[in-house]
Amino acid sequence: MEITGIISALIVGLVVGALGRLVIPGKQHLPIWLTLLLGIVAAVLGGWLAGLLWDAFLFVLLVQVLVAAGIIYLADGMYAKNASGTA
């Protein structure tokens, strides 16, 4: 993978993380840097999962955003529980 591919994957991951956060209703307790990092992970994982089924751009993006929303939802629950337990 070339450097431009890595940079594009990072940018897509940041966008997917932000969209995943917007999909979840209510207030999230995650810091924005963690949301964006989880978005990068979700973009890779969601892209791989979607590629197994169908390679259409909008389908891949939808799967990436749904995976990001799921990961952010789970991480937010764990983060909020840890934050309230230590305070």
Side-chain angles (χ1 to χ4, degrees), residues 69-82:
I71 290 174
I72 290 169
Y73 180 77
L74 292 174
D76 186 53
M78 291 187 296
Y79 191 85
K81 187 187 302 183
N82 282 344

Side-chain angles (χ1 to χ4, degrees), residues 3-87:
I3 190 71
T4 56
I6 294 170
I7 291 171
S8 340
L10 289 174
I11 292 171
V12 168
L14 297 176
V15 171
V16 165
L19 290 174
R21 188 175 180 125
L22 289 174
V23 169
I24 301 171
K27 181 178 180 350
Q28 289 89 34
H29 302 91
L30 290 176
I32 192 69
W33 66 267
L34 187 55
T35 301
L36 298 177
L37 183 68
L38 292 173
I40 293 170
V41 171
V44 172
L45 183 62
W48 178 75
L49 286 173
L52 292 174
L53 301 174
W54 194 21
D55 208 18
F57 171 75
L58 288 176
F59 178 73
V60 172
L61 183 62
L62 178 67
V63 171
Q64 287 174 328
V65 170
L66 291 176
V67 169
I71 290 174
I72 290 169
Y73 180 77
L74 292 174
D76 186 53
M78 291 187 296
Y79 191 85
K81 187 187 302 183
N82 282 344
S84 67
T86 58

